[in-house]
């Protein structure tokens, strides 16, 4: 199929160039956020390489395999340059980014000292916070308002003030995991949501207030945590109406990243799975927050989804109907940000003979999450400048980065990392008017 039929440049429209400064508003200046900001500065100064970032290091094949044309993604699509990023953010503590990064202990002292003069300049704005939604935290650097509408207006005022200093703005949630909130009547339409803001509806958590403020200001919003936030009809509508792209939730970093690589492989070979036990120990503030059963439930729901969707037990009952999937996260302070994850996978093969796979991932949580946060920021800004993407609301092509992909109503989410990767790259080809790559390849044998 040719470019035009598949939606190439003619149908996709021309992507606007990334001119001027991109303002990045980060909700929650904790471990992930400070690792991202410090990392960007380290890369800008030539002190380190942006490893783990597809936007900075990835290439994209164009045309046939024999064409030998694989430019860097950042040379193919007009992304904001790292030198044009300007950071600000909110937190419930007054620590500047240097102090917060030092507290998080992800990056070593030597690196932080080199970056200190810059990191110290980024100071958090007072946050929208209520301990009801994050039981294990209590901060004082918090906005006061007569109701949730008032708080949303204060966030909007923060955005408007920041907009005066930069050319474009993106917001990303890198704050704590909130308690589990089920979608309610208040989430079903913009009108119901706005009424809920006036009435201080309990089903409106702080993350939704930030998201509402961003989307009403036409600012794309990414959600690094598993909170409900923009996964509601009201927010999807707002996103479309104001051409403010959104994507799924919860950075796909360690264990789920591995799961969405291994599970598709087992399924591709029609190997059965009877059990998948996943456990984690971690000792950072995120681990402390997740030690609260209500925040853990939000995370658990997000982590549980992937296997069911990948294995499709209704299509393959002989292989996956009885799969027992269990996830545990244990707060264990000595490990800090260095999470350790174990997976025990009970599989079975030919004639039902059982086998086991053990995965032991000694990872660094924020080192894995920071490049994902950066890529989401850069790609959401790109989506906002791409005529064929900006008013779609959900950017399903960014599922690649997220534990809980968001989809159009009635569509099941695609969790397979390699399908997600293909979808992402084909979306980039599409918006730039290049031929999509189907991997059919019959033409090489003509
Ligand atoms: N690191 C990973 O691998 C990973 C993966 C997936 C998701 N996440 C999620 O990313 C988020 C950040 O993780 P982290 O390790 O940086 O946690 P963290 O605890 O170090 O940082 C979170 C920060 O958010 C602040 N905060 C909490 N509520 C706030 C609010 N309402 N407004 C403004 N600030 C607020 C906290 O004070 C804290 O500084 C968590 O929700 C975590 O579950 C992390």
């Amino acid at each position: 199929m040719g470019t035009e039929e598949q939606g190439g440049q003619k149908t996709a429209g021309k992507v606007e160039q990334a001119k001027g400064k991109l303002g990045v508003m980060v909700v929650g200046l904790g471990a992930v956020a400070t690792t991202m900001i410090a990392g960007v500065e380290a890369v800008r100064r030539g002190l380190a390489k942006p490893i783990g970032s597809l936007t900075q290091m990835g290439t994209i094949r164009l045309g046939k395999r024999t064409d030998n044309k694989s430019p860097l993604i950042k040379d193919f699509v007009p992304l904001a340059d790292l030198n044009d990023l300007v950071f600000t953010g909110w937190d419930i503590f007054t620590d500047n980014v240097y102090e917060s990064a030092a507290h998080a202990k992800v990056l070593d002292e030597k690196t932080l000292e080199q970056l200190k003069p810059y990191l110290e300049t980024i100071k958090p704005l007072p946050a929208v916070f209520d301990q009801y939604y994050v039981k294990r935290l209590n901060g004082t650097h918090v906005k006061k308002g007569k109701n949730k509408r008032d708080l949303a207006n204060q966030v909007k005022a923060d955005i408007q003030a920041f907009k005066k200093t930069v050319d474009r703005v993106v917001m990303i949630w890198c704050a704590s995991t909130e308690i589990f909130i089920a979608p309610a009547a208040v989430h079903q339409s913009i009108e119901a949501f706005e009424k809920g803001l006036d009435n201080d509806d309990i089903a409106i958590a702080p993350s939704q207030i930030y998201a509402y403020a961003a989307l009403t200001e036409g600012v794309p919003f990414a959600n690094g945590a598993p909170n409900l936030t923009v996964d509601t009809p009201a927010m999807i509508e707002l996103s479309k109406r104001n051409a403010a792209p959104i994507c799924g939730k919860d950075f796909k970093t360690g264990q789920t990243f591995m799961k969405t690589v291994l599970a598709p492989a087992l399924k591709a070979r029609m190997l059965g799975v009877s059990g998948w036990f996943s456990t984690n120990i971690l000792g950072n503030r995120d681990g402390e927050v997740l030690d609260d059963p209500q925040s853990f439930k939000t995370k658990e729901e997000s982590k549980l989804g992937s296997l069911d969707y990948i294995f499709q037990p209704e299509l393959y009952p002989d292989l996956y109907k009885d799969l027992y999937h269990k996830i545990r996260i244990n707060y264990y302070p000595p490990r800090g940000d260095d999470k350790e994850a174990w997976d025990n996978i009970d599989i079975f093969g030919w004639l039902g003979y059982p086998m086991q796979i053990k995965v032991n991932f000694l990872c660094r949580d924020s080192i894995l999450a920071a490049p994902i946060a950066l890529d989401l920021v850069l790609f959401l800004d790109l989506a906002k400048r791409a005529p064929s993407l900006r008013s779609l609301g959900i950017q399903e092509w960014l599922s690649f980065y997220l534990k809980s992909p968001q989809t159009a109503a009635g569509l099941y989410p695609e969790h397979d990392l390699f399908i997600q990767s293909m979808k992402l790259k084909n979306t980039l080809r599409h918006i730039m008017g290049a031929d999509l790559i189907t991997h059919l390849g019959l033409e090489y044998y003509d």
Side-chain angles (χ1 to χ4, degrees):
M1 230 187 279
T3 300
E4 282 181 43
E5 281 163 283
Q6 296 233 328
Q9 190 147 9
K10 280 214 171 119
T11 44
K14 196 158 170 34
V15 182
E16 287 163 28
Q17 289 304 306
K19 286 202 203 86
K21 299 282 178 201
L22 174 63
V24 185
M25 304 194 88
V26 189
V27 190
L29 294 171
V32 172
T34 58
T35 306
M36 167 180 67
I37 297 170
V40 166
E41 181 63 2
V43 172
R44 292 199 281 221
R45 295 217 205 150
L47 301 173
K49 296 252 184 277
I51 294 173
S53 163
L54 182 71
T55 61
Q56 303 308 300
M57 304 198 81
T59 61
I60 183 162
R61 169 158 75 92
L62 301 175
K64 295 183 178 179
R65 267 183 274 166
T66 44
D67 291 348
N68 280 328
K69 207 170 155 204
S70 291
L72 284 170
I73 287 174
K74 64 178 181 166
D75 293 337
F76 176 58
V77 291
L79 292 175
D81 191 282
L82 294 193
N83 289 310
D84 289 328
L85 300 192
V86 181
F87 293 99
T88 186
W90 297 266
D91 206 286
I92 64 171
F93 301 111
T94 52
D95 292 357
N96 64 44
V97 168
Y98 169 76
E99 290 163 337
S100 178
H103 177 262
K105 293 195 174 62
V106 176
L107 302 176
D108 59 47
E109 274 175 37
K110 190 171 152 253
T111 306
L112 282 181
E113 280 312 307
Q114 282 176 292
L115 305 171
K116 187 174 177 180
Y118 168 72
L119 299 180
E120 276 181 333
T121 63
I122 308 169
K123 301 183 175 96
L125 298 157
V128 176
F129 182 75
D130 180 342
Q131 205 183 9
Y132 172 77
Y133 301 95
V134 185
K135 307 284 185 210
R136 297 284 156 98
L137 286 186
N138 197 5
T140 50
H141 192 51
V142 172
K143 292 188 196 305
K144 291 188 179 46
K146 77 175 189 319
N147 56 21
K148 291 182 179 177
R149 167 85 77 167
D150 185 8
L151 293 169
N153 286 339
Q154 291 181 45
V155 177
K156 279 165 73 169
D158 290 342
I159 298 171
Q160 285 157 8
F162 189 51
K163 270 182 176 170
K164 293 198 178 109
T165 66
V166 292
D167 298 272
R168 305 179 310 284
V169 176
V170 171
M171 191 186 293
I172 183 164
W173 177 275
C174 291
S176 310
T177 300
E178 296 172 331
I179 59 169
F180 182 74
I181 293 180
V186 73
H187 302 120
Q188 299 312 308
S189 68
I190 299 175
E191 295 68 32
F193 188 85
E194 289 180 338
K195 208 179 263 176
L197 286 174
D198 292 330
N199 300 337
D200 276 337
D201 194 306
I202 198 156
I204 299 182
S207 66
Q208 297 172 39
I209 296 177
Y210 286 100
Y212 170 81
L215 300 180
T216 47
E217 285 294 316
V219 169
F221 183 94
N223 183 11
N227 310 330
L228 183 68
T229 318
V230 294
D231 200 0
T232 66
M235 293 296 171
I236 294 169
E237 193 48 42
L238 207 50
S239 159
K240 285 184 180 168
R241 186 193 281 181
N242 295 333
I246 53 174
C247 45
K249 54 192 177 196
D250 206 5
F251 301 131
K252 176 153 94 172
T253 49
Q255 198 165 52
T256 310
F257 167 53
M258 288 293 148
K259 251 180 208 169
T260 61
V261 171
L262 283 175
L266 297 171
K267 184 178 147 198
R269 285 285 166 87
M270 291 290 109
L271 292 168
V273 183
S274 57
W276 197 310
F277 179 70
S278 303
T279 189
N280 300 271
I281 54 175
L282 84 162
N284 57 14
R285 192 183 279 155
D286 185 31
E288 196 178 349
V289 167
L290 293 174
D291 209 34
D292 168 56
Q294 294 188 68
S295 285
F296 174 68
K297 181 165 167 51
T298 312
K299 191 60 125 184
E300 188 184 27
E301 292 279 324
S302 172
K303 279 174 145 287
L304 276 174
S306 58
L307 286 192
D308 237 20
Y309 284 113
I310 291 172
F311 286 136
Q312 297 176 292
E314 63 297 342
L315 269 186
Y316 305 101
D318 290 339
L319 301 176
Y320 308 117
K321 175 172 60 66
D322 298 323
L323 169 61
Y324 187 85
H325 187 197
K326 191 88 191 159
I327 294 166
R328 284 276 161 267
I329 299 177
N330 299 288
Y331 177 51
Y332 180 62
R335 284 298 172 88
D337 204 66
D338 300 349
K339 178 155 79 182
E340 180 159 4
W342 291 267
D343 284 84
N344 171 75
I345 314 158
D346 286 292
I347 69 170
F348 52 94
W350 187 239
L351 312 181
Y353 279 78
M355 294 168 263
Q356 291 182 15
I357 301 173
K358 314 277 178 190
V359 182
N360 182 198
F361 191 4
L362 286 93
C363 68
R364 292 173 190 266
D365 240 15
S366 302
I367 293 294
L368 291 171
I372 292 182
L374 171 66
D375 282 3
L376 283 171
V377 162
L378 295 179
F379 276 144
L380 281 176
D381 170 52
L382 175 75
K384 171 99 189 166
R385 287 180 282 110
S388 61
L389 299 179
R390 68 163 69 107
S391 298
L392 294 183
I394 301 164
Q395 306 294 314
E396 202 195 323
W397 58 287
L398 295 176
S399 302
F400 176 66
Y401 293 108
L402 299 153
K403 281 194 197 76
S404 296
Q406 199 172 350
T407 59
L411 272 188
Y412 70 81
E414 188 50 76
H415 283 273
D416 178 327
L417 189 87
F418 295 102
I419 296 178
Q420 292 174 333
S421 154
M422 240 190 282
K423 191 178 177 66
L424 185 154
K425 289 192 174 182
N426 268 337
T427 305
L428 299 181
R429 292 181 187 107
H430 164 73
I431 64 170
M432 298 309 290
D435 283 342
L436 304 190
I437 289 183
T438 63
H439 300 282
L440 181 63
L442 294 183
E443 66 273 25
Y444 300 118
Y445 298 90
D446 275 350

